[in-house]
Amino acid sequence: MNVVILAAGMGKRMQSALPKVLHPLAGKPLLSHVLDTARSLSASRLCVIYGHGGAAVQELLARQPEKVATALQEPQLGTGHAVMQALPELDDSVPTLILYGDVPLTTSASLRALVDVAGNDKLGILTVEQDDPFGLGRIVRENNEIVRIVEQKDATEAERAIKEINSGIMVAPTAHLKRWLAALKNNNAQGEYYLTDIVAQAVADGVRVVSAQPSAQWEVAGVNSKVQLAELERIHQRNIALKLLEQGVTLMDPARIDVRGELICGRDVTIDVGCVFEGKVELGDGVRVAAHNVIFNARILAGAQIKPFCHIEEAVVGEVSIIGPYARLRPGTVLAEDVHVGNFVEIKNGQVAAHSKANHLAYIGDATIGSRVNIGAGTITCNYDGVNKSRTVIEDDAFIGSDSQLIAPVTVGKGATLGAGTTLSKDAPAGKLTISRPRQVTIDNWSRPVKKPK
Ligand code: UD1
Ligand code: CA
């Protein structure tokens, strides 16, 4: 099957410099949603018709796993004219499916149904019954057979009363499509070459016109404004939330979760309100994510708890670990099982072995930390000298006293203790107390200054 995606419209109502089809829905450009759907139908040839913002659209297409042909439509003389630009790319021996770059949520199941009902020799149209069909093309039937489509602006009063509308999505036998497009005229209210006029031509040629209906109206809803984009985002998030609930995930409020990517959950996962999941996130069995967490490309292993207000990015949280509240795990962080990371602790590219704890106010960057290590409040690994990054190694069973600075590269040996307030610039030997603060003194005979009389 050939798939043509129309994406030349300028999207003036978006009020944005970004081309309409590049605006994100669930963190992914509208056009990428449509490309992914086309891919799921195993399209043999893909062609995107672009116009406005060509360079940015081309850039997105260059990142696709397979070759996507493009055709520039300039000027934009209507949907029929748009499809004409793709004709050199199409294989005559298979049908051509026409999709819209700004209609992101059509399911492959609905498109599959349309393609199946049309076969190789019929023209298929995805239609829906809409209570308010204003502005859309109406499906005109005689004896229940589709005979043509009439646009709002060209319709008579009686035709405007028709509630069955053209979603715009069609599939056509390619050789016929080429002939029909070549014969299009623009003598209509908008002076455009209407793709929809191929319907009457098909009927005149004795080609049957059939239809399929999607499961819901949102499948064919297009985005023309930020209002419509926001509405579709909510519908899409609602659908994702329902799928998670069906899989057995507990969502404290299905209306207050945002998944912008892929969220994979084990059994008995609980997610409280206000969480955002981006990229690929895995939550193992029994994971509990409390309110207001942002988790991006991360794996949270079984039994771990993420308390409120954490930011976790490209990190692995080990089994039964407890993170937060208010913790930040940055890229490269890998925590083994039963690690505790508490409030205002930041870990970047730090690997922490089992049962270690950093419960309050610490910065751990470029560090390897052993098992059962206790990192006191206010500990800082000084990993950056202004030019180079260096590593800190803290071996098993070490105890780092509060408010210590570890000037990397430096190693704290197995079972070593650092006294509170230590500035460690040389390695601390295993099993011993290392301390670098001046001895405490008390000054006798000292008195506080007194205010001078004026
Ligand atoms: C079109 C259909 C109408 C249908 C409606 C569904 C025609 C003549 N009308 O309406 O029956 O109910 O879609 O939304 O086909 N585009 C181009 N080049 C152009 C014109 C449009 O690429 O020259 C693209 C737009 O970017 C958009 C899509 O085609 O993705 C639909 O265009 P739009 O103007 O929104 O639809 P209408 O023509 O109003
Ligand atoms: Ca239009």
Side-chain angles (χ1 to χ4, degrees):
M1 181 169 56
N2 308 298
V3 175
V4 178
I5 300 174
L6 305 192
M10 77 168 149
K12 204 168 146 196
R13 283 196 279 151
M14 295 300 277
Q15 308 282 1
S16 167
L18 189 66
K20 175 164 76 173
V21 292
L22 298 186
H23 281 264
L25 179 95
K28 188 166 86 174
L30 295 173
L31 181 56
S32 298
H33 285 267
V34 183
L35 287 166
D36 288 351
T37 310
R39 197 165 290 135
S40 75
L41 297 168
S42 34
S44 52
R45 296 202 188 173
L46 256 173
C47 182
V48 173
I49 310 301
Y50 70 99
H52 294 272
V57 173
Q58 295 274 19
E59 221 168 90
L60 175 97
L61 296 176
R63 291 198 304 267
Q64 302 303 310
E66 72 285 89
K67 181 182 174 281
V68 181
T70 56
L72 175 66
Q73 188 200 14
E74 184 58 54
Q76 279 120 42
L77 304 177
T79 49
H81 179 253
V83 178
M84 275 181 226
Q85 314 309 310
L87 293 185
E89 300 293 337
L90 306 182
D91 172 0
D92 281 10
S93 67
V94 288
T96 297
L97 175 68
I98 296 154
L99 302 176
Y100 290 52
D102 56 1
V103 178
L105 296 183
T106 323
T107 62
S108 358
S110 297
L111 293 175
R112 188 50 71 208
L114 176 68
V115 167
D116 287 350
V117 73
N120 286 320
D121 56 350
K122 296 183 277 298
L123 174 60
I125 309 170
L126 197 65
T127 74
V128 275
E129 296 266 338
Q130 216 155 288
D131 283 340
D132 178 15
F134 182 83
L136 296 163
R138 308 299 206 283
I139 305 292
V140 181
R141 290 179 185 260
E142 280 168 16
N143 303 322
N144 210 32
E145 291 286 313
I146 298 175
V147 291
R148 60 196 169 86
I149 295 177
V150 61
E151 294 303 299
Q152 171 82 26
K153 288 186 177 140
D154 304 292
T156 63
E157 205 59 33
E159 288 164 342
R160 286 182 184 182
I162 298 171
K163 288 192 158 42
E164 187 183 11
I165 61 98
N166 169 31
S167 70
I169 293 169
M170 293 188 192
V171 60
T174 302
H176 283 309
L177 177 69
K178 289 184 175 176
R179 270 191 306 107
W180 296 334
L181 289 175
L184 286 183
K185 299 210 167 55
N186 65 349
N187 53 348
N188 50 54
Q190 302 185 83
E192 287 183 4
Y193 295 94
Y194 289 167
L195 175 63
T196 45
D197 284 350
I198 67 170
V199 176
Q201 291 194 58
V203 173
D205 278 357
V207 172
R208 260 198 83 201
V209 183
V210 294
S211 69
Q213 283 72 40
S215 66
Q217 263 184 36
W218 51 258
E219 282 201 39
V220 296
V223 172
N224 295 298
S225 66
K226 288 286 174 77
V227 172
Q228 290 173 342
L229 181 62
E231 284 167 358
L232 273 196
E233 177 79 34
R234 281 307 102 208
I235 289 168
H236 187 51
Q237 293 299 340
R238 173 88 192 156
N239 291 341
I240 292 170
L242 290 179
K243 259 193 209 135
L244 290 169
L245 291 170
E246 278 160 14
Q247 287 164 18
V249 177
T250 300
L251 300 178
M252 299 317 287
D253 182 354
R256 283 184 288 169
I257 176 172
D258 286 86
V259 180
R260 301 177 192 148
E262 192 185 0
L263 177 61
I264 302 159
C265 293
R267 287 179 81 81
D268 297 305
V269 166
T270 298
I271 301 171
D272 208 332
V273 301
C275 293
V276 179
F277 299 92
E278 292 183 62
K280 184 174 178 185
V281 175
E282 287 179 53
L283 305 179
D285 292 349
V287 164
R288 281 185 283 159
V289 180
H292 303 294
N293 279 289
V294 176
I295 304 182
F296 174 72
N297 280 345
R299 293 172 63 213
I300 315 295
L301 304 189
Q305 268 188 69
I306 313 296
K307 295 188 169 184
F309 303 109
C310 295
H311 192 275
I312 298 178
E313 180 181 0
E314 304 197 349
V316 179
V317 172
E319 291 182 6
V320 303
S321 289
I322 301 177
I323 309 302
Y326 299 104
R328 180 173 183 206
L329 304 183
R330 291 172 51 198
T333 295
V334 179
L335 311 180
E337 73 174 291
D338 184 37
V339 167
H340 293 191
V341 177
N343 40 258
F344 308 107
V345 173
E346 172 180 350
I347 306 182
K348 187 222 54 171
N349 189 23
Q351 294 79 48
V352 183
H355 315 296
S356 288
K357 297 179 173 60
N359 272 328
H360 339 261
L361 301 157
Y363 173 63
I364 298 166
D366 303 303
T368 306
I369 295 173
S371 297
R372 297 171 303 277
V373 168
N374 194 305
I375 302 218
T379 297
I380 290 172
T381 55
C382 307
N383 59 328
Y384 185 52
D385 59 11
V387 187
N388 296 306
K389 300 264 168 73
S390 302
R391 289 196 74 83
T392 298
V393 176
I394 302 176
E395 293 178 354
D396 293 349
D397 300 296
F399 180 96
I400 311 298
S402 296
D403 196 29
S404 293
Q405 303 95 50
L406 288 74
I407 303 175
V410 74
T411 297
V412 177
K414 194 166 169 14
T417 299
L418 296 196
T422 291
T423 299
L424 192 73
S425 51
K426 295 191 292 265
D427 291 352
K432 294 188 173 157
L433 170 67
T434 297
I435 191 162
S436 77
R437 59 178 188 250
R439 276 187 187 283
Q440 179 168 321
V441 292
T442 300
I443 313 295
D444 292 325
N445 308 321
W446 179 86
S447 54
R448 284 188 189 172
V450 288
K451 202 171 172 98
K452 288 178 188 149
K454 282 196 182 145

